[in-house]
Amino acid sequence: QVQLVESGGGLVQAGGSLRLSCAASGSIFSINTMGWYRQAPGRQRELVAGVTRGGSTNYAESVKGRFTISRDNAKSTVTLQMNSLKPEDTAVYYCNAEVRTSWIDGGMNYWGKGTLVTVSS
């Protein structure tokens, strides 16, 4: 079994910064892509940023230049640094990881329980 645990959400004023962290634990052989998704009330969950095991990153257009994703393969962690936050960034943020539990396993998607980010105007 694999668990993803997020931390770092909270309330911040517009223009402020927050740092989200996610740690994976359990039966991990290796982790392919790690990423952050978000879901605002009444909206579908959307990709915010992703990072491959090799360090390649991709971002939603709405966060480019403001958010930075990084990972530590040795610690099985992924971090999202969020700067210049806007009220429209308010959402529950979910950590996602494609985890291989053995060498024959191609990888399965796992999700954290989410952490709430609220940006006040």
Side-chain angles (χ1 to χ4, degrees):
Q1 189 69 316
V2 174
Q3 297 84 38
L4 301 181
V5 178
E6 302 107 334
S7 61
L11 173 64
V12 65
Q13 286 189 332
S17 298
L18 280 176
R19 186 179 180 89
L20 303 183
S21 296
C22 172
S25 63
S27 302
I28 298 171
F29 175 75
S30 69
I31 302 177
N32 298 333
T33 301
M34 301 186 82
W36 290 92
Y37 288 71
R38 68 186 180 188
Q39 187 166 18
R43 302 190 66 174
Q44 287 189 328
R45 191 173 297 189
E46 62 176 359
L47 174 68
V48 176
V51 56
T52 67
R53 184 170 180 80
S56 296
T57 59
N58 64 292
Y59 295 92
E61 284 296 325
S62 59
V63 307
K64 280 184 180 177
R66 300 188 296 123
F67 292 9
T68 302
I69 190 170
S70 60
R71 66 186 280 177
D72 185 326
N73 290 331
K75 296 181 179 179
S76 298
T77 58
V78 62
T79 299
L80 186 68
Q81 177 66 42
M82 305 185 294
N83 298 328
S84 303
L85 282 161
K86 304 175 181 180
E88 50 263 44
D89 294 318
T90 295
V92 177
Y93 284 70
Y94 297 91
C95 177
N96 172 268
E98 187 182 64
V99 180
R100 297 176 66 195
T101 57
S102 72
W103 68 277
I104 59 172
D105 175 13
M108 263 187 67
N109 259 317
Y110 291 88
W111 293 91
K113 293 183 178 180
T115 185
L116 178 62
V117 171
T118 303
V119 184
S120 63
S121 57

